[in-house]
Amino acid sequence: MGAADGGRAVAPRVVPAAPPVRRVRVVVRGVVQGVGFRPHVYGLASELALAGQVTNTGEGVVVEAEGAAAAVDRFCARVASDAPPLAVVESVDVTDLPATGGSGFHIVASRSTGAVRTLVAPDTATCGDCLAELADPADRRHRHPFIACTHCGPRFTIVTGLPYDREHTTMAGFPLCPACDREYRDPADRRFHAQPVACPACGPRLTLVVAGSQDRPVAGDPVDGARELLAAGAIVAVKGIGGYHLACDATDSRAVGELRRRKARGNKPFALMAGDSADVAHLVHLGAAERELLTGRVRPIVLLRRRTGASAAGLPVPAEAVAPGSADLGVMLPYTPLHHLLLGSGGPGLLVMTSGNVSGEPIVTDDDEARERLAGLADAWLAHDRPIHVPCDDSVVRVCDGEPVVLRRSRGYAPLPLTLPVPVVPALAVGGDLKNVFCLAEGARAWLSAHVGDMDDLATQRAFDRAVRQLGSVTGVRPGLLVTDAHPAYRSGAWARRHAAGRPVVRVQHHHAHVAAVMAEHGVPAGRRVIGVAFDGTGHGDDGAVWGGEFLLAGYDGHDRFAHLAYVPLPGGDAAVRRPYRMALAHLWAAGVAPEADLPCVAACPAEERAVLVRQLERGLNCVPTSSMGRLFDAVSSLAGVCHHAEYEARAAIELEAAAVATGPTDEDPRYVFRLAGRDRAGGVPVTADPAPLLAAVVEDVRLGVPAPVVAARFHAAVARLVRTLCGLARETTGLETVALSGGVFANALLSSACALGLRADGFTVLRHHEVPPNDGGLALGQLVVAARATSRAGTTGPDPAAARG
């Protein structure tokens, strides 16, 4: 032992080994652009002391991160779990790379090379933070009508290309001022790389132009001027994020009536916009699900059941002309800063807010077009200079049995994809001619377009063409297969044939597509079959008749018609749809019930027309047979004296539902029954359900003076019993235990609820639409999964048409 260490041994000093270093490449796919994902990655990497970079590319967000292996592991685990609120992460792929020893973490410029595989976010309602700034006189964005951040604002409607950067949006023409530029480049700011960011100094500008002013903007604040016009009873065209609305004071009977007249809307209900759910709580029933829809990020139009007998003293009440004959009010809350400003003090607190178009035409988005097409409809235009690249109507949702049912899937939902339960080849399904929505899909993803409209209008067909190109550009799908409805005269089908360019075009039967759509939405796997109940107004049948009251044994690979409503003549085609009394008289003729003068439907039909109609029915002239449940609703509506003229689609059925809702629960009437025939299915003959006994009971009740609401309620109960009975017969025959309900008739919440309740009591699993409309707005999804699944299964470049048609 030496003296220096006092006789004690000196332990050698141990230098800790450096922690292992790891570098990874992380590719995050999904809705990860335009939602604050790069700032999220930057903040997370900085917190974990990682070096590297993040960028947007066509396939998603690409990250290279390097640092202590444990920190990199935490980064990979948290990059998805801690994602921003608007992000939807579909996948995170991690690949190890050689370490480079770099320092610092950076956000680098986007790269536009490679295939487009990322997803664009939908437009989102103004967030709470932005609303607070909007209302704060001390904030530089006080009352700025275009306030937005990474958590809110327009997305889909302003995208012109990918990756999602400002130069690929309609904000490219608005250079950032120094203050906004600092926010845009500050990773700690919630407007970091928020592409719609702007302020009064550098952003879009509002203008108010009054009809007859030779396009000279009104002096003063445009919002204040618009509020004054609305309060005075004017109709104002308001440019939103997806198109123009026509707005007026919903409590002003004269203004509402004038808007209805100018828009040629018939009695179709208008939507309302209120400042807060409390402003309509005295008018409608609001449950938790309804409030969540009204106040959430999407802010759709929500169909809410009206209250009856509620006191409304001192509270705004919409004019009767807003929604005549409807059991519901369609209500939405403000989803843009401009809406919030319009509903501020000094103007009406309850606005009609309806699409800016003449009924049947697509929504107007272009400013010059708005001046031309809305001339004669609007008294003034509240416009702005931020272009709308993608038209997008308001979505429409209702709640049935506590669950949302999307009736029009557009703003706030498009272009989010659906996950398919079966792989498909790249394909485009063009949907139907009413409520047109098309669908692009590849692999396990399907993109439904925003609502396009009814294809009988040339402007709608042009809008369809533009929308197909735009959705293709943001999804990267290059369809090698086109899919249409089986109807030989559909305009959507004609479009597909004109644009086939050598690609196969497959036709899918209408009601098979409806059933396949609800199956796909619920993830029913390949090879499974269900009992499909498809109720609607019109669909081309395999035998050339007009189907619409169908019970199918269906899978993706085909369908078998188990049962249907008995055929009756459809006299005059569309004429019978527009005039339900014609359908009532046709049903009476088929049932052998004399059309006496005391029946409301007979009184509604002019004598000369009735004479011609009788000859039509006797000789079968222009009387295609139909099994449509929608037309049976029309017939009963007219028989009961509820509705004889349908100025808009499904009016007679909507008002019949309203009548049934008004009477409340009623005892089932055993006279209201369908006569079943053909139970012996040897030889494949379907069961038929003849409504003749039911119609005789309706006639008897009408003559006895039974109130129309009671007749309506008994009829709804009878249809629900029919569904239970025929599904029970189908189960006895096949052993199938799952029932899928689809078709436009199931937008009727009263019928849908009664059918589901009864079927579940009988032990069935019931599939109903929630994310995809039950009407023809969901048709394209079913078309696609039937036809593209058939092609994928065959393993060829061309479809198996027989399998696709079932």
Side-chain angles (χ1 to χ4, degrees):
M1 300 289 180
D5 57 16
R8 292 177 303 197
V10 177
R13 187 169 64 187
V14 177
V15 179
V21 174
R22 185 185 180 197
R23 186 178 184 87
V24 293
R25 182 178 190 267
V26 182
V27 180
V28 187
R29 297 185 176 91
V31 182
V32 291
Q33 294 185 13
V35 294
F37 206 88
R38 286 181 297 175
H40 153 65
V41 168
Y42 179 92
L44 182 59
S46 300
E47 175 190 335
L48 297 171
L50 301 180
Q53 64 184 35
V54 58
T55 187
N56 278 342
T57 72
E59 63 176 334
V61 170
V62 178
V63 186
E64 288 191 13
E66 179 176 331
V72 170
D73 290 343
R74 289 195 295 275
F75 175 85
C76 294
R78 292 174 57 190
V79 71
S81 64
D82 295 2
L86 298 187
V88 180
V89 177
E90 288 197 341
S91 65
V92 179
D93 295 332
V94 180
T95 306
D96 280 284
L97 300 172
T100 64
S103 62
F105 196 89
H106 309 282
I107 295 176
V108 301
S110 300
R111 302 198 306 266
S112 57
T113 57
V116 175
R117 299 187 185 279
T118 193
L119 304 178
V120 177
D123 301 322
T124 305
T126 312
C127 70
D129 288 337
C130 284
L131 287 179
E133 293 172 348
L134 185 73
D136 183 0
D139 193 278
R140 71 187 188 91
R141 291 190 176 89
H142 177 232
R143 291 176 55 83
H144 177 51
F146 307 97
I147 192 168
C149 69
T150 53
H151 303 316
C152 68
R155 297 292 190 276
F156 179 50
T157 52
I158 64 171
V159 170
T160 60
L162 290 176
Y164 179 74
D165 285 318
R166 194 175 179 95
E167 60 264 31
H168 296 144
T169 73
T170 61
M171 291 297 295
F174 299 93
L176 293 169
C177 69
C180 286
D181 189 61
R182 282 192 297 273
E183 294 172 329
Y184 186 81
R185 298 181 186 283
D186 180 1
D189 196 284
R190 82 172 195 281
R191 291 191 170 90
F192 180 60
H193 280 263
Q195 308 312 338
V197 65
C199 74
C202 63
R205 300 295 176 90
L206 282 178
T207 56
L208 178 66
V209 174
V210 176
S213 65
Q214 299 180 334
D215 291 348
R216 287 193 297 270
V218 174
D221 184 277
V223 175
D224 290 344
R227 283 204 306 250
E228 290 174 7
L229 286 169
L230 290 167
I235 297 167
V236 179
V238 180
K239 186 178 180 182
I241 58 175
Y244 274 82
H245 286 102
L246 291 170
C248 72
D249 181 353
T251 67
D252 184 334
S253 298
R254 189 208 61 79
V256 175
E258 181 64 14
L259 175 57
R260 188 172 291 285
R261 184 191 67 78
R262 293 182 189 180
K263 195 171 160 70
R265 194 178 171 89
N267 281 331
K268 187 175 182 180
F270 284 128
L272 299 176
M273 180 174 280
D276 187 88
S277 59
D279 296 335
V280 294
H282 61 293
L283 301 171
V284 294
H285 295 279
L286 285 174
E290 287 86 353
R291 289 182 187 276
E292 184 175 348
L293 285 167
L294 283 172
T295 60
R297 294 175 186 151
V298 175
R299 301 282 177 105
I301 298 169
V302 185
L303 298 187
L304 302 168
R305 284 288 192 225
R306 291 183 191 251
R307 291 184 180 274
T308 56
S311 173
L315 296 172
V317 177
E320 180 60 32
V322 166
S326 175
D328 304 309
L329 283 177
V331 178
M332 59 179 161
L333 299 188
Y335 56 86
T336 72
L338 179 56
H339 294 152
H340 285 277
L341 294 172
L342 265 183
L343 286 161
S345 61
L350 201 59
L351 295 175
V352 165
M353 195 72 79
T354 188
S355 298
N357 55 9
V358 175
S359 291
E361 295 183 358
I363 191 170
V364 177
T365 58
D366 179 76
D367 299 329
D368 292 336
E369 189 180 9
R371 297 288 174 82
E372 179 182 344
R373 284 177 54 192
L374 303 183
L377 277 73
D379 299 310
W381 288 257
L382 181 61
H384 57 77
D385 55 355
R386 181 178 66 200
I388 298 170
H389 187 66
V390 184
C392 209
D393 280 277
D394 294 312
S395 294
V396 181
V397 184
R398 80 177 315 149
V399 173
C400 183
D401 298 332
E403 295 181 301
V405 180
V406 174
L407 301 179
R408 185 166 74 193
R409 189 178 188 271
S410 204
R411 177 187 53 77
Y413 296 101
L416 288 178
L418 300 166
T419 300
L420 297 176
V422 292
V424 297
V425 299
L428 165 64
V430 297
D433 272 14
L434 295 179
K435 298 181 174 64
N436 180 268
V437 168
F438 61 87
C439 184
L440 279 168
E442 180 176 4
R445 279 182 180 166
W447 287 265
L448 286 168
S449 73
H451 172 79
V452 178
D454 294 349
M455 295 289 281
D456 58 355
D457 182 84
L458 183 59
T460 307
Q461 295 171 40
R462 290 171 178 160
F464 178 93
D465 201 50
R466 292 191 298 269
V468 168
R469 293 196 301 270
Q470 194 277 334
L471 191 59
S473 72
V474 300
T475 62
V477 175
R478 302 292 179 261
L481 172 71
L482 302 181
V483 193
T484 77
D485 189 88
H487 197 298
Y490 267 12
R491 292 172 176 84
S492 52
W495 183 95
R497 291 188 292 274
R498 286 197 308 273
H499 291 80
R503 294 172 292 181
V505 179
V506 177
R507 297 190 302 161
V508 175
Q509 199 280 323
H510 190 92
H511 302 94
H512 185 198
H514 271 310
V515 175
V518 73
M519 291 173 63
E521 181 181 342
H522 284 270
V524 175
R528 297 280 182 87
R529 290 201 307 167
V530 301
I531 303 166
V533 183
F535 287 172
D536 63 4
T538 302
H540 185 75
D542 293 338
D543 57 0
V546 175
W547 289 9
E550 310 306 311
F551 294 78
L552 307 179
L553 308 176
Y556 301 124
D557 302 334
H559 70 276
D560 179 29
R561 195 183 193 195
F562 177 82
H564 61 86
L565 284 184
Y567 286 136
V568 298
L570 183 65
D574 287 345
V577 177
R578 292 190 299 269
R579 288 171 261 173
Y581 61 77
R582 293 177 68 92
M583 208 63 241
L585 292 170
H587 264 284
L588 291 179
W589 183 86
V593 177
E596 301 292 348
D598 60 337
L599 295 177
C601 58
V602 176
C605 183
E608 290 183 3
E609 182 180 352
R610 191 161 67 249
V612 173
L613 182 60
V614 169
R615 287 197 296 273
Q616 270 190 283
L617 294 170
E618 290 175 346
R619 299 174 187 178
L621 298 174
N622 195 18
C623 287
V624 177
T626 182
S627 60
S628 168
M629 180 60 79
R631 301 289 79 81
L632 179 60
F633 267 77
D634 290 351
V636 173
S637 186
S638 182
L639 269 173
V642 173
C643 178
H644 303 300
H645 296 83
E647 295 95 341
Y648 64 90
E649 186 193 5
R651 177 191 172 187
I654 288 170
E655 294 189 0
L656 190 68
E657 180 191 8
V661 169
T663 197
T666 188
D667 293 335
E668 292 187 0
D669 191 314
R671 298 172 302 134
Y672 282 61
V673 67
F674 293 79
R675 182 188 301 123
L676 303 185
R679 293 195 190 199
D680 180 3
R681 289 183 43 75
V685 177
V687 177
T688 58
D690 187 348
L694 181 149
L695 294 166
V698 171
V699 168
E700 180 182 7
D701 279 354
V702 169
R703 286 178 170 149
L704 289 172
V706 174
V710 175
V711 173
R714 289 173 177 173
F715 171 71
H716 278 76
V719 175
R721 281 201 310 277
L722 174 69
V723 170
R724 292 180 69 176
T725 299
L726 286 176
C727 289
L729 288 175
R731 177 167 56 187
E732 290 175 12
T733 303
T734 65
L736 295 174
E737 297 278 354
T738 300
V739 176
L741 306 178
S742 191
V745 170
F746 284 110
N748 180 322
L750 182 65
L751 179 67
S752 177
S753 181
C755 288
L757 183 66
L759 289 167
R760 287 172 180 148
D762 294 340
F764 284 104
T765 297
V766 181
L767 308 181
R768 292 186 289 176
H769 288 283
H770 297 296
E771 296 182 67
V772 177
N775 55 44
D776 283 6
L779 200 63
L781 176 64
Q783 290 174 346
L784 189 136
V785 77
V786 168
R789 153 72 183 161
T791 307
S792 178
R793 187 184 67 257
T796 66
T797 56
D800 176 354
R805 288 194 293 268

